[in-house]
Amino acid sequence: MLNRLKTQEQGWKEKLNRSNVGDLLTNCILAAAFITYCPALSMDRRSKVTNLLFKVCESCGLPLPHTTLLRNLPLIQLMQTPIEIKTLEERGLSTNPLALNNSCIFSSTMGSNSWVLVCDPTGQAIDWIKGHLPEDTVEVMYNALLSEMDTCLTVGHSLLLTYCEMQDLSCDVRFKQILRSKREFFQHHVPFKMMVGVHEVECHPSFRMCLHTTKMPEEVPPEVASFCTTLYFYQDREGLVEQLLDRFVSLEKPRLKEEHVQLKQEGLTNMIIRSALEEKVIVTLQSHESLLHSLSVTKKLGDLTLQHEEASEMYMKTVAAEDSMLLARGVFREIAVRGAVMFDTSRMLQQLNRMYNTSYKQLLQLFDASVAHSERYSLKGIVACVTSNIFSYISRSLLDKDRLVYALLLAFEVQDSLGRISPGEREFIISPVLCVTVLHGRNSKMSESRPQDKNPFDWMSEEQFKNVQVLATCFDWFGDLFDRMYKDVKDLTWKTFCESEQPENPSKVKWPEGIEALSPLQKFMILRAVRQDRILPSASNYISAALGKTVIVLLQSEPLAKSEVQSTLEEVFIQEISVLGRIHVSFNGNQLPCPCS
């Protein structure tokens, strides 16, 4: 029996080590600060605030423990039990780090003195919210609200009010008193009366309300924000991939989905049984000073330990089966990744024009239709169909001048998701100076000798030479090309290439040796360096290589205004990168300025 308890003893010791009073104090302060200050922030801003919280703790004499919350200890593991985390997964909710942090914020706020207001610009949070609320929750749209709130107040059900218009809500007399009275529902233990608009309603203390809007947090008026905890809900790329993968499996592989759901339920049941048995073992050990003098207690303890071992074995078998199921499910991840990339890219377009707004519901409809009408026996065929259908739908909603910008942005995102873009390469297309700044911020290794070289060519402008110099300094793949060009001044291949009317077209001009073997993006970068005036046809070549000729055909179906596209190209890329946080890096403790703005 004692040998059987060895494993549990080790687990208990680990729990005690994690419960060090000093560590617990720092981590609890970090958790409270994060839940207080970060709900309304984006992922990048949450990260910055978290780093600031670490510095504040250290400055106040609270050393950061070896296992620091929000660094190497997830918030969810401090605030919820493994069973509660598994319950979220069993309900079909996202369990990526960002979603779990939002779950912690939502759950803790529901028990606080303020109502929860979920800002959901893409309209994808409603099912997620309902997964955290009781099954008897009443869901109603704000503009369709009639007597549902009075009924929920009287009966004590939770109310989910969706698609709230913030300005209307701030002036709505029905909510004037309720917004200010969350504390009342905690303080009372029996029904009490409250004015709702112009009439009095008997309110049950168990009533809870959750508000949902598609507005951004900064658009919430103070009359509402003062009485609510504003939670900015969005899914990062990882969360979108998991959602779309789950949707694809549900639609196309229903048996696999059913088996996965069953395994998750079995896993949760086994965890609950294990936890209950472990609790009984602990209670038995605590309630008797000497086990050796009581044969019945020793027998009881032995039986509980044996049952715990059997439950643990069943749990491990379930985990192994679920891992195998996830492996089979992961075969279709490529499709979900492409869908997530398409949706992310469509959201970035809002930085170009606020009217470019594609909801999550629209994406799902396009995703489902693309899968249904694709060659389902081929993953590549499904991916191609998802790409072309969503691209066609979104591009039709754009202004003519923005279509090539969208296509180039999508090409970058698709290639980046495939791991074909290295740091600094995308930034070089925007500005060579930005490329250097970003790589310096990342402490990337760069050539020290090539920046000292002088321009030896009378046919190459100083700006062109500086651009190719940056390429050679920052990227090894161009170093040899630059050295050969610089040393062999008499070779006129580069001169012919740079002065050609169509340098992007190898059938019209001979390319310098070595360029043909480069990737499409690297060729694009060289053309950007020496012939910025040919950036649009160069971009078209890159888009065709990255996304396929179908996209170019779709683009060519509508006339493009060259000057308008060129004038917005740099601006939209800078805004897009800013939104994604791809170049939010620090240099000497400050955010890098954009050198090309």
Side-chain angles (χ1 to χ4, degrees), residues 42-60:
S42 65
M43 183 166 60
D44 292 332
R45 292 181 178 178
R46 286 184 186 183
S47 178
K48 291 179 181 178
V49 171
T50 299
N51 291 331
L52 178 62
L53 294 176
F54 293 153
K55 294 177 181 178
V56 170
C57 286
E58 290 178 328
S59 66
C60 294

Side-chain angles (χ1 to χ4, degrees), residues 342 386-397 406 554:
M342 300 301 294
V386 168
T387 304
S388 61
N389 285 354
I390 297 179
F391 175 84
S392 176
Y393 177 86
I394 292 176
S395 62
R396 285 198 299 268
S397 68
Y406 167 55
L554 291 170

Side-chain angles (χ1 to χ4, degrees), residues 454-469 485 498-499 528-533:
K454 303 296 183 181
N455 184 2
F457 309 110
D458 56 3
W459 48 267
M460 180 179 283
S461 69
E462 289 299 326
E463 181 182 1
Q464 288 174 315
F465 184 76
K466 183 180 178 182
N467 289 343
V468 295
Q469 202 171 29
M485 177 186 71
C498 293
E499 294 178 351
R528 162 68 176 85
V530 298
R531 289 294 300 273
Q532 188 171 355
D533 61 307

Side-chain angles (χ1 to χ4, degrees), residues 405-436:
V405 175
Y406 167 55
L408 188 51
L409 177 59
L410 179 59
F412 281 149
E413 288 299 313
V414 167
Q415 293 297 298
D416 187 47
S417 70
L418 298 172
R420 296 173 183 171
I421 294 184
S422 300
E425 291 185 340
R426 186 203 306 235
E427 289 79 6
F428 184 88
I429 299 296
I430 303 169
S431 164
V433 178
L434 178 61
C435 168
V436 173

Side-chain angles (χ1 to χ4, degrees), residues 14 23 50 61 148 159 200 252 256 267 272 327 337 374 384 412:
E14 291 176 0
D23 295 356
T50 299
E148 291 88 352
L159 174 66
E200 193 175 55
E252 299 298 316
L256 184 64
I272 294 173
L327 193 61
V337 169
S374 62
F412 281 149

Side-chain angles (χ1 to χ4, degrees), residues 145-389:
L145 181 65
L146 296 174
S147 61
E148 291 88 352
M149 185 166 68
D150 290 357
T151 302
C152 290
L153 282 166
T154 303
V155 178
H157 289 166
S158 296
L159 174 66
L160 172 57
L161 205 58
T162 60
Y163 298 101
C164 296
E165 293 294 336
M166 288 292 96
Q167 294 301 329
D168 293 345
L169 182 65
S170 65
C171 305
D172 196 327
V173 294
R174 296 173 296 178
F175 292 88
K176 184 176 181 181
Q177 185 62 32
I178 290 179
L179 285 175
R180 293 164 170 77
S181 304
K182 175 73 180 286
R183 188 188 298 269
E184 298 290 325
F185 291 93
F186 282 113
Q187 291 178 342
H188 287 85
H189 301 288
V190 296
F192 61 97
K193 296 191 176 184
M194 178 186 297
M195 292 298 297
V196 179
V198 295
H199 61 282
E200 193 175 55
V201 175
E202 185 175 84
C203 301
H204 196 283
S206 61
F207 169 79
R208 297 294 182 267
M209 179 174 66
C210 178
L211 305 175
H212 166 271
T213 182
T214 55
K215 300 295 184 182
M216 293 291 287
E218 57 268 22
E219 297 177 281
V220 178
E223 295 85 356
V224 176
S226 301
F227 307 104
C228 297
T229 295
T230 304
L231 172 61
Y232 178 33
F233 182 91
Y234 57 99
Q235 279 287 20
D236 58 3
R237 180 71 59 80
E238 181 183 351
L240 279 173
V241 169
E242 287 302 318
Q243 283 185 331
L244 292 178
L245 180 57
D246 194 59
R247 188 172 186 85
F248 176 84
V249 172
S250 298
L251 294 174
E252 299 298 316
K253 306 293 179 181
R255 181 176 297 179
L256 184 64
K257 174 65 176 179
E258 291 172 4
E259 291 177 2
H260 190 202
V261 170
Q262 184 178 354
L263 284 172
K264 287 194 289 187
Q265 292 172 344
E266 290 178 4
L268 177 60
T269 301
N270 289 332
M271 287 184 72
I272 294 173
I273 293 173
R274 285 180 65 208
S275 179
L277 289 170
E278 184 176 350
E279 187 65 28
K280 289 180 180 180
V281 170
I282 293 173
V283 170
T284 303
L285 290 172
Q286 288 176 333
S287 59
H288 297 84
E289 294 183 0
S290 177
L291 301 176
L292 298 178
H293 296 93
S294 176
L295 185 61
S296 61
V297 173
T298 304
K299 185 178 184 303
K300 179 183 178 182
L301 190 59
D303 291 341
L304 289 173
T305 306
L306 181 60
Q307 292 175 34
H308 186 274
E309 283 183 355
E310 292 173 351
S312 298
E313 185 177 351
M314 287 295 297
Y315 174 71
M316 295 308 296
K317 287 182 179 179
T318 305
V319 170
E322 190 172 354
D323 288 343
S324 299
M325 188 67 62
L326 290 174
L327 193 61
R329 177 175 174 266
V331 172
F332 310 104
R333 179 170 294 273
E334 181 182 355
I335 301 168
V337 169
R338 183 58 56 88
V341 168
M342 300 301 294
F343 185 54
D344 265 350
T345 309
S346 70
R347 287 196 297 184
M348 295 170 198
L349 292 173
Q350 283 195 298
Q351 303 302 314
L352 181 61
N353 192 320
R354 292 289 293 177
M355 74 177 182
Y356 297 155
N357 186 17
T358 304
S359 71
Y360 185 65
K361 184 177 181 180
Q362 288 173 298
L363 168 77
L364 289 183
Q365 291 173 347
L366 291 167
F367 183 80
D368 293 348
S370 300
V371 171
H373 294 92
S374 62
E375 300 174 354
R376 303 186 191 184
Y377 60 84
S378 168
L379 288 181
K380 290 185 177 180
I382 299 175
V383 169
C385 193
V386 168
T387 304
S388 61
N389 285 354

